[in-house]
Amino acid sequence: THNPVEALQGKIPGMDIVRSSGNAGAGVNITIRGNRSINGDNSPLFVIDGIQGGSYNDLNPGDIESIEVLKDASSTAIYGSQGANGVVIITTKKGAAGKTKVSYDGYYGINGVVDYPNPLIGDAYLDYVREGKVAAGTYTTDEAMFISDVWNAVQANQWVNWTDLLLSDGSQQSHTVSLSGGSEQTRLFLSANYFNEVGMLANDNMERLSLRINLEHRINKWARVGLNSQLTYTDRNARSGQFGKAMSATPLGVPFDANGDVIRYPIAGDVSTLSPLLDQTDEYTQVNNSLRGNIVTKGFLELTPIKGLTFRSNLSTSLSAGRQGMYNDTWSWRSLGNYNEASVAASFGRSYLWDNILTYSKDLGDHTLSGTFLTSWSKGINEN
């Protein structure tokens, strides 16, 4: 999966993870121990490399070192009201001292439809219509059950399984190249990832490119600094599924012409029945394209002046820019011969976060005394 949280489905008690849709690149809906608010947001707080509110959708799963889920009140208390729905802490990989290592990780897979209901066609469909007419007391002959154009298609044996034509096998692939190495003082981790998912509907796909650099340097025994930065670019084309229309449409007609193009009125002479494949008449009949770029950079300073006492200051910034372009021509299902429409929406956002964390821990033999003090300042600006 492109989404690291989706990979946790069924692995953590009390954490419900449901994919939001079947579209390529779709996100997930997450709750921890059920809904805690009637009208408010029930999503947990994400903390990525110490940054609160980070976007896990942009993370390459191959860059992740560990994921920790905090569910009870005592463990989430430090995050205040933001941690009321639980906290998910994600830590990405860091460089290791020693010989430089270059590695590759990749996969390719097929997404298919399993046991999707088949519509009634042929004799099964005729029996269904006949029984309805008999129950209504209007049955006379099979021919009288249909208008002449539809009956001609029955006689020509032009049966169509629309859902079978609407759906096709999708695919998913990911390729990651990473570099790790360094010395006892300086450690570096670099990675580059390409992810591509093709959905089961035509013109439904998502591509993502991501680059990451994690750098740490130990100044001396009690001080170290570091930089974590990630650049992500996403190109996504979404399709609205017409499963309902495919299941309920009259299973008759000729779906394609001699050139392989979709026939808008599949039953010859019948202009009341439209093809469920309208939105894939060609590449530009129905378009919903989203482009998004995001840069997240965090610098930190960590001091350990005495044993048990640690001070850490994190300063992070996030810059994002996006554009969504939509188009529906006259023969899309949204327009249905009435109008053309097009729209473009652009957005730009930036946010800043500064955390200072003071932690003290002392071993008292049979007991351990520990305490944490946290201050946080944040600012976000969104423009459309």
Coordinates of all heavy atoms in Angstrom, one line a residue, residues 66-103:
S66 N 9.7 2.9 12.9 CA 8.7 2.3 13.8 C 7.5 3.2 13.9 O 7.4 4.3 13.5 CB 9.4 2.3 15.2 OG 9.6 3.6 15.7
I67 N 6.4 2.5 14.4 CA 5.1 3.2 14.6 C 4.6 2.8 16.0 O 4.5 1.6 16.3 CB 4.0 2.8 13.5 CG1 4.5 3.2 12.1 CG2 2.7 3.4 13.8 CD1 3.6 2.8 11.0
E68 N 4.3 3.8 16.8 CA 3.8 3.5 18.1 C 2.4 4.2 18.3 O 2.2 5.3 17.9 CB 4.7 4.1 19.2 CG 4.3 3.8 20.6 CD 5.3 4.4 21.6 OE1 6.3 5.0 21.2 OE2 5.1 4.2 22.8
V69 N 1.4 3.4 18.8 CA 0.1 3.9 19.0 C -0.2 4.1 20.5 O -0.1 3.1 21.2 CB -1.0 3.0 18.3 CG1 -2.4 3.5 18.5 CG2 -0.7 2.8 16.8
L70 N -0.5 5.3 20.9 CA -0.9 5.6 22.3 C -2.4 5.7 22.4 O -3.0 6.5 21.6 CB -0.2 6.9 22.7 CG 1.3 7.0 22.5 CD1 1.8 8.4 23.0 CD2 2.0 5.9 23.1
K71 N -3.0 4.9 23.3 CA -4.5 4.9 23.3 C -5.0 5.4 24.7 O -6.2 5.9 24.7 CB -4.9 3.4 23.1 CG -4.6 2.9 21.7 CD -5.1 1.5 21.5 CE -4.1 0.5 22.1 NZ -4.5 -0.9 21.7
D72 N -4.4 5.2 25.8 CA -4.9 5.5 27.1 C -4.6 7.0 27.4 O -3.7 7.6 26.9 CB -4.5 4.6 28.2 CG -3.0 4.6 28.3 OD1 -2.4 5.5 28.9 OD2 -2.3 3.7 27.7
A73 N -5.4 7.5 28.4 CA -5.3 8.9 28.7 C -3.9 9.3 29.3 O -3.4 10.4 29.0 CB -6.4 9.3 29.7
S74 N -3.3 8.4 30.1 CA -2.1 8.8 30.7 C -0.9 9.0 29.7 O -0.1 9.8 29.8 CB -1.7 7.7 31.7 OG -1.5 6.4 31.1
S75 N -0.9 8.1 28.7 CA 0.2 8.2 27.7 C 0.0 9.3 26.7 O 0.9 9.8 26.1 CB 0.3 6.9 26.9 OG -0.9 6.6 26.2
T76 N -1.3 9.8 26.5 CA -1.5 10.9 25.6 C -1.6 12.3 26.3 O -1.8 13.3 25.6 CB -2.8 10.7 24.8 OG1 -3.9 10.6 25.7 CG2 -2.8 9.4 24.0
A77 N -1.5 12.3 27.6 CA -1.7 13.5 28.4 C -0.8 14.7 28.0 O -1.2 15.8 27.9 CB -1.6 13.2 29.9
I78 N 0.4 14.4 27.6 CA 1.4 15.4 27.3 C 0.9 16.2 26.0 O 1.3 17.4 25.9 CB 2.8 14.8 27.1 CG1 3.8 16.0 26.9 CG2 2.8 13.9 25.8 CD1 5.2 15.5 26.8
Y79 N 0.1 15.6 25.2 CA -0.4 16.3 24.0 C -1.7 17.1 24.2 O -2.2 17.7 23.3 CB -0.6 15.3 22.9 CG 0.7 14.6 22.5 CD1 1.0 13.3 23.0 CD2 1.7 15.2 21.7 CE1 2.1 12.6 22.6 CE2 2.9 14.6 21.4 CZ 3.1 13.3 21.9 OH 4.2 12.6 21.6
G80 N -2.2 17.1 25.5 CA -3.4 17.9 25.8 C -4.6 17.4 25.0 O -4.8 16.3 24.7
S81 N -5.4 18.4 24.7 CA -6.7 18.1 24.0 C -6.4 17.5 22.6 O -7.3 16.8 22.0 CB -7.5 19.4 23.8 OG -6.9 20.4 23.1
Q82 N -5.3 17.8 22.0 CA -5.0 17.3 20.6 C -4.8 15.8 20.6 O -5.0 15.2 19.6 CB -3.7 17.9 20.1 CG -3.7 19.4 19.9 CD -2.4 19.9 19.3 OE1 -2.2 20.0 18.1 NE2 -1.5 20.4 20.2
G83 N -4.5 15.2 21.8 CA -4.3 13.8 21.9 C -5.6 13.1 22.4 O -5.5 11.9 22.8
A84 N -6.7 13.8 22.4 CA -7.9 13.2 23.0 C -8.4 11.9 22.2 O -9.0 11.0 22.8 CB -9.0 14.2 23.0
N85 N -8.1 11.9 20.9 CA -8.5 10.7 20.1 C -7.4 9.7 19.9 O -7.5 8.8 19.0 CB -9.0 11.2 18.7 CG -10.2 12.1 18.8 OD1 -11.1 11.9 19.7 ND2 -10.3 13.2 18.0
G86 N -6.4 9.8 20.7 CA -5.3 8.9 20.6 C -4.1 9.6 19.8 O -4.3 10.6 19.2
V87 N -3.0 9.0 19.9 CA -1.8 9.5 19.3 C -1.0 8.4 18.5 O -0.9 7.3 19.1 CB -0.8 10.2 20.3 CG1 0.4 10.8 19.6 CG2 -1.5 11.3 21.1
V88 N -0.6 8.7 17.3 CA 0.2 7.8 16.5 C 1.5 8.4 16.3 O 1.6 9.5 15.6 CB -0.5 7.4 15.2 CG1 0.4 6.4 14.4 CG2 -1.9 6.8 15.4
I89 N 2.6 7.8 16.8 CA 3.9 8.3 16.7 C 4.7 7.5 15.6 O 4.9 6.3 15.8 CB 4.7 8.3 18.0 CG1 3.9 9.1 19.1 CG2 6.1 8.8 17.9 CD1 4.5 9.0 20.5
I90 N 5.2 8.2 14.6 CA 5.9 7.6 13.5 C 7.3 8.1 13.5 O 7.5 9.3 13.5 CB 5.2 7.8 12.1 CG1 3.8 7.3 12.1 CG2 6.0 7.2 11.0 CD1 3.0 7.5 10.8
T91 N 8.3 7.2 13.5 CA 9.7 7.6 13.4 C 10.3 7.0 12.1 O 10.2 5.8 11.8 CB 10.4 7.0 14.6 OG1 9.8 7.5 15.8 CG2 11.9 7.5 14.6
T92 N 11.0 7.9 11.4 CA 11.6 7.4 10.1 C 13.0 7.0 10.4 O 13.6 7.2 11.4 CB 11.6 8.6 9.1 OG1 12.3 9.7 9.6 CG2 10.2 9.0 8.8
K93 N 13.6 6.3 9.4 CA 14.9 5.7 9.5 C 16.0 6.8 9.6 O 15.9 7.9 9.1 CB 15.2 4.8 8.4 CG 14.2 3.6 8.3 CD 14.5 2.7 7.1 CE 13.6 1.5 7.0 NZ 13.9 0.6 5.8
K94 N 17.1 6.4 10.3 CA 18.2 7.2 10.4 C 19.5 6.5 9.9 O 19.5 5.3 9.8 CB 18.4 7.6 11.9 CG 17.3 8.4 12.5 CD 17.5 8.7 13.9 CE 16.4 9.6 14.5 NZ 15.1 8.9 14.5
G95 N 20.5 7.2 9.6 CA 21.7 6.7 9.2 C 22.4 5.9 10.3 O 22.2 6.2 11.5
A96 N 23.2 5.0 10.0 CA 24.0 4.2 11.0 C 25.5 4.3 10.7 O 25.9 4.4 9.6 CB 23.6 2.7 10.9
A97 N 26.2 4.4 11.8 CA 27.7 4.5 11.6 C 28.3 3.3 11.0 O 27.8 2.2 11.3 CB 28.3 4.7 13.0
G98 N 29.2 3.4 10.1 CA 29.8 2.3 9.5 C 29.9 2.5 8.0 O 29.7 3.6 7.5
K99 N 30.1 1.4 7.3 CA 30.2 1.4 5.9 C 28.9 1.8 5.2 O 27.8 1.4 5.6 CB 30.6 0.0 5.4 CG 30.9 -0.1 3.9 CD 31.4 -1.5 3.5 CE 31.7 -1.6 2.0 NZ 32.1 -2.9 1.6
T100 N 29.0 2.7 4.2 CA 27.8 3.1 3.4 C 27.1 2.0 2.8 O 27.7 1.2 2.1 CB 28.3 4.2 2.4 OG1 28.9 5.3 3.1 CG2 27.0 4.7 1.6
K101 N 25.8 2.0 2.9 CA 25.0 0.9 2.4 C 24.0 1.5 1.4 O 23.3 2.5 1.7 CB 24.2 0.1 3.4 CG 25.1 -0.6 4.4 CD 24.2 -1.3 5.4 CE 25.1 -2.1 6.4 NZ 24.3 -2.8 7.5
V102 N 23.9 0.9 0.2 CA 22.9 1.3 -0.8 C 22.0 0.1 -1.0 O 22.4 -1.0 -1.2 CB 23.6 1.7 -2.1 CG1 22.5 2.0 -3.2 CG2 24.5 2.9 -1.9
S103 N 20.7 0.3 -0.9 CA 19.7 -0.8 -1.0 C 18.6 -0.4 -1.9 O 18.3 0.8 -2.1 CB 19.2 -1.1 0.4 OG 18.5 -0.1 1.0

